[in-house]
């Protein structure tokens, strides 16, 4: 997969903040610090589009 121009749209916490439009949606679920944000950055080939944090989860 080649992602050419990734953009951070919004970090939405309520329904009215959800972006309009009919683009496909992907769910990525997991505990805190398991590497969700790092995985997104790998997918879009950017170092810090999704902010990563603290120490890796050990368990
Ligand atoms: N050892 C190791 N650390 C990782 C891996 N993926 C992410 N991390 C680290 O785990 C921490 C949490 O990752 P992050 O992507 O912020 O997790 P999120 O909370 O699920 O979004 C960061 O310090 C990452 O650098 C991995 O595959 N191996
Ligand atoms: Mg994260």
């Amino acid at each position: 997969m080649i992602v050419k121009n990734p953009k951070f749209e919004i970090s939405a916490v309520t329904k009215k903040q959800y972006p309009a439009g009919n683009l496909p949606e992907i769910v990525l679920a997991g505990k805190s610090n398991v590497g969700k944000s790092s995985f997104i950055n790998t997918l879009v080939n950017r170092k810090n589009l999704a902010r990563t944090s603290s120490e890796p989860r050990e368990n």
Side-chain angles (χ1 to χ4, degrees):
M1 183 174 75
I2 299 167
V3 179
K4 288 197 173 139
N5 191 19
K7 285 183 197 137
F8 177 80
E9 181 80 25
I10 190 171
S11 190
V13 293
T14 66
K15 200 171 176 181
K16 54 184 172 184
Q17 296 175 311
Y18 294 172
N22 56 357
L23 291 172
E25 298 177 12
I26 296 169
V27 173
L28 178 58
K31 285 185 185 176
S32 181
N33 272 358
V34 289
K36 300 179 299 295
S37 298
S38 305
F39 177 67
I40 291 167
N41 288 330
T42 299
L43 281 182
V44 300
N45 200 24
R46 291 287 185 279
K47 281 209 160 64
N48 215 15
L49 188 82
R51 270 184 215 151
T52 57
S53 56
S54 62
E55 296 295 307
R57 180 178 281 277
E58 301 279 337
N59 54 9

